[in-house]
Amino acid sequence: MKFYEIHDPYYALIKAKDEADAERFYNEYISDTDDYENFQDEEINEVSRDYALSEYKRVMKKYGETDHHLIMETFNVPAGEMLLWDGSLT
């Protein structure tokens, strides 16, 4: 799996098999319009696994999840998914 980060219009950290899959996740779960079907190169960035894990752990701990085993187990699920998203969307 690869990891992708989008900052605008809403933040998302996505685990996906490729950039097209990440865009599909974003459009399905985050965007409420079809305006983001053709991301520009600067709008979606592939990030390293270490960076994605660091961000995921930071946010999970911020919201009270401190069980390292559970965090790793969830992060390492071998399927594409939304890992983090903009808090204003909840």
Side-chain angles (χ1 to χ4, degrees):
M1 295 310 262
K2 296 180 179 179
F3 300 90
Y4 298 90
E5 190 173 51
I6 300 167
H7 288 278
D8 200 35
Y10 300 105
Y11 178 81
L13 180 63
I14 303 167
K15 179 172 43 169
K17 64 182 177 181
D18 56 30
E19 188 172 315
D21 201 32
E23 289 178 14
R24 183 183 61 76
F25 273 112
Y26 190 85
N27 285 325
E28 186 174 337
Y29 296 104
I30 302 296
S31 178
D32 56 354
T33 69
D34 293 331
D35 293 343
Y36 296 97
E37 288 188 12
N38 295 310
F39 282 87
Q40 300 300 309
D41 288 341
E42 66 275 0
E43 292 177 322
I44 183 168
N45 298 301
E46 185 174 352
V47 297
S48 72
R49 180 186 185 284
D50 289 344
Y51 172 83
L53 178 57
S54 173
E55 287 299 297
Y56 185 69
K57 287 170 65 174
R58 181 183 63 77
V59 171
M60 293 301 286
K61 288 180 181 179
K62 179 180 177 182
Y63 289 98
E65 183 55 66
T66 58
D67 183 338
H68 177 74
H69 178 72
L70 180 61
I71 290 171
M72 293 305 297
E73 185 177 286
T74 304
F75 183 83
N76 288 324
V77 169
E81 65 180 313
M82 299 293 300
L83 293 172
L84 302 173
W85 55 89
D86 194 308
S88 67
L89 296 173
T90 58

